[in-house]
Amino acid sequence: MDSPLVAAIEAGGTKFVCAVGTGPEDIEEARFPTTLPEETIARSIEFFNEAQERRGNVESIGIGTFGPADVDPKSPTFGHIKKTPKANWSGTDLASPIRESLGNVPLAFETDVNAAAWGERKWGAAESLNDLIYITVGTGIGGGAVSDGKIVHGTSHPEMGHLRVPRDKSIDPFDGCCPFHGDCLEGLASGTALKERWSEDPAKIPADHPAWELESSYLADAIINITLTLSPERFVLGGGVMDQDHLFPMIRERVTERLAGYIEVPDPEKFIVPPGLGPQAGVLGSLALAQDMLK
């Protein structure tokens, strides 16, 4: 049976990725900057209208969005962005206008990192695993979790980017850049934190710079905390900051060392890995969520 044609959006704080397709080998997408809500939503609808003229109507849509977001289908504000540092987006109803433009097709609405985790489980570096974590380290830090084959929810959704991690002020006097918590994980280890601490674009910081000792240390501590809490089978680390070949070995070494044999990680190179879907993890995860709405 052929896979259904579905729509997907990866709604990032910096850019939107809109797509239609049936899977990794059949996906048509458009990428554009995240501007004002009305403008960005209108541009998304325009893409879907044009794509449907060429390919026919989509049967469902999946949206993976920056947050915080209301992902509870029973909530009266399901599909809305909650209070967010992203200017002008707090309270925006992202889902309804897009869904209505597609004829009120079934809708899946998730965080972008939960969507990416789902995509990596279906088609990527964590294929078929039931317990995994996806962490993106970019302008901010976010984490998505799959436990026992299901995306993790609770009172809201995981906010792993705001974990508190140990900071030795004598080694790292930087107070952090998170507007809510200062020196949480995002405040210390995001791309924004790297740029503010070292006054340099993270992509241009050399491999032997002390920045990476701190970065790998903070990320290792976060991975240890999550490991001790959820016991995942694999961590997938994506985002622009992780485009550093030397970071993965540093993180693996620190995780193994600091777990101190209390929990054995059989093969660190398989426990902490880059995304199999690369920069398409989020949008393909949203596509997979859209397909799940039709089962």
Side-chain angles (χ1 to χ4, degrees):
M1 181 178 177
D2 293 336
S3 297
L5 183 69
V6 298
I9 296 177
E10 180 187 3
T14 303
K15 69 177 182 299
F16 262 49
V17 184
C18 297
V20 295
T22 61
E25 305 303 321
D26 170 34
I27 184 169
E28 177 184 349
E29 65 178 50
R31 296 171 178 252
F32 45 84
T34 305
T35 55
L36 292 173
E38 297 82 2
E39 180 183 5
T40 309
I41 290 170
R43 194 164 179 180
S44 302
I45 292 170
E46 181 182 7
F47 166 79
F48 290 128
N49 287 340
E50 292 175 354
Q52 287 186 116
E53 287 179 6
R54 292 190 299 273
R55 303 193 58 172
N57 292 339
V58 299
E59 297 185 33
S60 61
I61 182 169
I63 299 176
T65 181
F66 67 91
D70 190 342
V71 298
D72 180 1
K74 298 177 183 177
S75 170
T77 56
F78 173 64
H80 287 59
I81 304 297
K82 294 183 179 181
K83 186 176 181 181
T84 175
K86 179 67 176 174
N88 302 303
W89 279 83
S90 292
T92 295
D93 182 355
L94 174 58
S96 295
I98 294 172
R99 183 185 187 189
E100 289 167 4
S101 76
L102 296 174
N104 289 310
V105 295
L107 165 81
F109 189 77
E110 264 298 347
T111 63
D112 49 1
V113 279
N114 269 343
W118 201 243
E120 289 292 331
R121 179 179 185 262
K122 183 165 186 178
W123 291 306
E127 190 171 354
S128 301
L129 296 183
N130 284 329
D131 297 272
L132 66 118
I133 304 293
Y134 182 95
I135 296 176
T136 183
V137 189
T139 304
I141 295 180
V146 174
S147 180
D148 195 25
K150 299 176 182 178
I151 292 176
V152 172
H153 293 132
T155 55
S156 180
H157 48 74
E159 283 286 358
M160 299 176 200
H162 297 273
L163 285 168
R164 308 316 298 261
V165 290
R167 175 171 72 98
D168 185 337
K169 294 183 181 180
S170 67
I171 297 174
D172 184 14
F174 180 65
D175 288 331
C177 66
C178 174
F180 294 96
H181 314 115
D183 63 351
C184 62
L185 179 65
E186 179 172 291
L188 294 171
S190 64
T192 302
L194 284 164
K195 187 172 183 178
E196 289 189 13
R197 185 194 282 109
W198 303 108
S199 301
E200 182 65 272
D201 181 343
K204 297 179 180 178
I205 297 176
D208 58 354
H209 194 282
W212 303 119
E213 293 290 336
L214 282 175
E215 184 72 10
S216 61
S217 181
Y218 289 136
L219 291 173
D221 281 338
I223 287 170
I224 289 167
N225 287 335
I226 298 166
T227 298
L228 295 171
T229 304
L230 293 177
S231 192
E233 298 170 272
R234 187 161 298 163
F235 283 84
V236 182
L237 306 186
V241 172
M242 294 308 303
D243 290 337
Q244 306 279 344
D245 291 341
H246 58 281
L247 252 187
F248 279 93
M250 295 171 75
I251 294 168
R252 292 174 185 134
E253 180 180 353
R254 281 158 178 76
V255 167
T256 302
E257 175 187 298
R258 293 175 190 180
L259 283 172
Y262 184 71
I263 292 178
E264 292 188 11
V265 179
D267 186 346
E269 291 192 5
K270 293 182 179 179
F271 186 57
I272 302 169
V273 302
L277 301 177
Q280 286 190 306
V283 70
L284 283 171
S286 298
L287 199 80
L289 289 167
Q291 291 177 344
D292 291 344
M293 297 299 295
L294 301 175
K295 293 180 179 178

